[in-house]
Amino acid sequence: MLSNNDILSRVCGTNDSNLKLIEKHLGIPVFTHGNEISIDNEEPSVQQEFKFIIDRIVDEISESGESSEDMIYSILNTGLDGNLSRSDFNAGEFSISIPGGSRKIYPKTKNQSDLVRAFRKSDLVFAVGPAGSGKTFLAIAEALRLVLSKKVNHIILTRPVVEAGENLGFLPGDLEDKINPYLRPLYDSMNACLPREIVHKLTENGIIETAPLAYMRGRTLNNSAIILDEAQNTTVEQMKMFLTRMGENSKVFITGDVTQVDLPKRCPSGLVNALGILKDIPEISIVQLDGSDVVRSSLVQKIVIAYENEQKRN
């Protein structure tokens, strides 16, 4: 049952165009009666997928006020595919619901959907892709879900500090002041998922911890969601050290873009090295995103795809 006729008309689309797309996707007719949209199929897995699709369309309309065929295609594209049967469909694996958050977070593309499912499946996940492809944002959202639903006790954020070519010791302030500019993108993602005051309280209480990668040595990280961002800028030694910090009941999410390595030319990337060494371990998930997953802006997507095409030509 939808809340009003305006929402119903937006969900249905012009001349029921959206419903026709949903019907084609599910392979069964979709009916409307009053403010209710339904299907004549009692199979639980089909009902679950149908409800997920409608709920997500309503959420997207409530957030953006818009309804388009492109949005419907995007929603349907992040659901079932050739690797997942309808009987295996679990709506909870296609969204991130953060306690205290204002909205569910949905993957926008097929690869992003694979990434969210990988977070649930594996304790160690590599998310590799270009800027704007959603890898870091989704990792942050999943980490917040884990800590606020009491699945883990802490979130630990880290990244190598090499972008500016400066030594931390020459930056002003204490350790937190030195590292925070490098972790600002992670906090921006958290503030997009939760009210700023909640993020601040979690940080003040030590539930969210930030640390330079070098400070991970010697630690065992138990009951934590650990995110290593910009992992392409780790050395091989740093990556091995980081991977061996993982303790009991911990989830590790490693994000990076192998096309933007800032290390000295003769220094191999720890991320690239790890992807080659660990690719055959079944308990580890590696999700590759590309330019088609860029949702930051349509222009950024075109830029990333142009660079990808140029790299293929060379």
Side-chain angles (χ1 to χ4, degrees), residues 210-227:
T210 60
L213 184 58
Y215 283 66
M216 294 288 126
R217 188 176 298 279
R219 298 182 64 181
T220 300
L221 305 174
N222 296 317
N223 298 303
S224 301
I226 308 137
I227 297 176

Side-chain angles (χ1 to χ4, degrees), residues 264-291:
K265 290 186 181 294
R266 295 184 180 179
C267 183
S269 166
L271 175 60
V272 175
N273 178 262
L275 292 173
I277 291 174
L278 305 177
K279 65 181 185 297
D280 295 325
I281 298 178
E283 293 86 356
I284 297 174
S285 289
I286 298 174
V287 179
Q288 181 71 56
L289 300 101
D290 57 33

